[in-house]
Amino acid sequence: MTKERITPLRQRMIEDMAIRHMASETQRNYIRAVKTLAGFLGRSPDTATAEDLRLFQLHLTETHVRPPTINTTVTALRFFFGVTLDRADATRHLTFVHEPRKLPVVLSPDEVARLLEAAPGVKYKAALGVAYGAGLRVSEVVSLKVSDIDSTRMLLRVERGKGGKDRHAMLSPRLLELLRDWWRIARPPVWLFPGQDPINPITTRQLDRACHAAAQTAEIAKRVTPHTLRHSFATHLLEQNIDIRVIQVLLGHAKLDTTALYTRVVANTIRDVMSPLDRLTPLRTRNTEPPA
């Protein structure tokens, strides 16, 4: 298999991203966006004009590319032209696309238990257990090292999470049991969840596939991804009346507004609110027959 040649232009962009300590996944997304632009242009992306970029975004819209992908592409191109090429003015026509925030898919505690039991092996059961038990993002789960487990303080160290920030996540006794079960079997030396080549951790795609397989085996009809477990973690904590600011810290959210989204899906909060209709004097109708 021939290794793809890295052009000087791409190398410079990689170096610019490395200087800013961008996450590996972010770097891959940015490179992919610039490659897509080059494919659209049919020539080197550094030759693009402001009008070319406007037409490129129009092309993305007309081919029904989803708003999150368009917004990632806009961010990537602003970085490429603004930082790597020092041509920030070229991106003046690029614009972010508003996307209505949808309610996250949330599993019930029973569905989570069935999903974990159906995981294809102890490694994936433990990894998905971390996603739910500590509320970690999939990129944070796969990046965990054995040394990140602090069983004395019952904490997980998350290095360079979203935004490149370190934080601590909770390590519950049950999650610690899952991780110890996995460690006794595999004795991973560095990465908590090593890939086929132990030098590297498992990929987010591998964990995503394992999650889909587990959901199918558990006969869960909802569309489930590892991030669904993070959503479920936050929602279930809210249903236990845990303060939303505590949940914000556990999730690593920069803004409380992001965490507040989960208040829209907390079922017991909705059920416990008394409707104003129920406070009225019992309504009586002239017709005592039940409606057809």
Side-chain angles (χ1 to χ4, degrees):
M1 184 176 177
T2 304
K3 188 175 181 180
E4 186 178 8
R5 185 178 70 88
I6 298 179
T7 64
L9 182 61
R10 181 186 296 189
Q11 183 60 41
R12 182 178 177 85
M13 183 179 180
I14 291 172
E15 290 169 358
D16 289 336
M17 292 188 291
I19 288 170
R20 289 157 181 80
H21 298 286
M22 289 186 174
S24 299
E25 188 69 20
T26 301
Q27 293 191 33
R28 284 192 290 269
N29 289 338
Y30 279 25
I31 292 294
R32 187 183 302 117
V34 176
K35 286 180 66 176
T36 303
L37 171 64
F40 171 78
L41 295 172
R43 61 182 194 273
S44 180
D46 61 335
T47 64
T49 64
E51 179 63 12
D52 288 330
L53 295 181
R54 188 188 72 83
L55 292 174
F56 176 56
Q57 182 162 9
L58 179 63
H59 165 74
L60 296 178
T61 303
E62 291 177 342
T63 53
H64 307 293
V65 174
R66 295 179 63 246
T69 303
I70 292 178
N71 290 338
T72 299
T73 301
V74 168
T75 304
L77 295 181
R78 285 184 175 181
F79 179 87
F80 176 65
F81 282 90
V83 176
T84 301
L85 298 181
D86 196 20
R87 291 178 51 208
D89 187 59
T91 62
R92 62 183 180 275
H93 295 311
L94 294 180
T95 182
F96 291 109
V97 180
H98 173 70
E99 182 186 28
R101 299 192 70 174
K102 297 180 181 179
L103 290 177
V105 174
V106 174
L107 301 180
S108 69
D110 176 69
E111 288 173 326
V112 173
R114 284 162 44 204
L115 180 81
L116 295 181
E117 288 302 320
V122 180
K123 175 167 73 172
Y124 290 110
K125 182 177 182 179
L128 294 173
V130 171
Y132 175 69
L136 266 58
R137 301 176 179 91
V138 63
S139 59
E140 295 170 343
V141 174
V142 302
S143 299
L144 284 174
K145 299 182 178 71
V146 175
S147 58
D148 292 329
I149 302 174
D150 187 344
S151 58
T152 302
R153 300 170 65 203
M154 296 302 286
L155 295 171
L156 286 174
R157 176 179 170 81
V158 179
E159 290 187 347
R160 295 179 61 190
K162 190 171 183 179
K165 298 177 181 178
D166 293 353
R167 74 177 192 282
H168 282 108
M170 62 188 295
L171 175 61
S172 71
R174 183 70 187 95
L175 178 55
L176 182 59
E177 286 180 22
L178 278 177
L179 296 178
R180 282 176 170 166
D181 286 344
W182 163 239
W183 188 83
R184 280 192 289 266
I185 291 171
R187 300 294 173 109
V190 180
W191 300 107
L192 185 55
F193 304 114
Q196 293 179 339
D197 183 347
I199 296 176
N200 300 313
I202 59 171
T203 64
T204 56
R205 180 175 291 184
Q206 285 175 298
L207 188 54
D208 192 61
R209 284 200 298 259
C211 186
H212 281 295
Q216 189 171 16
T217 302
E219 298 182 344
I220 297 172
K222 299 171 182 174
R223 186 178 181 277
V224 182
T225 69
H227 211 72
T228 306
L229 295 172
R230 176 174 159 89
H231 292 322
S232 303
F233 165 84
T235 304
H236 294 167
L237 286 182
L238 276 173
E239 290 180 340
Q240 296 170 33
N241 296 318
I242 303 300
D243 189 283
I244 193 170
R245 291 173 183 80
V246 174
I247 299 173
Q248 177 190 3
V249 172
L250 293 174
L251 292 174
H253 283 162
K255 298 180 180 179
L256 186 61
D257 289 351
T258 307
T259 316
L261 173 67
Y262 295 109
T263 61
R264 295 163 56 188
V265 293
V266 178
N268 64 354
T269 300
I270 296 171
R271 287 193 299 265
D272 292 345
V273 174
M274 179 180 286
S275 167
L277 179 65
D278 295 338
R279 296 182 181 277
L280 299 179
T281 303
L283 300 176
R284 298 182 183 279
T285 60
R286 294 178 183 178
N287 183 5
T288 56
E289 293 294 324

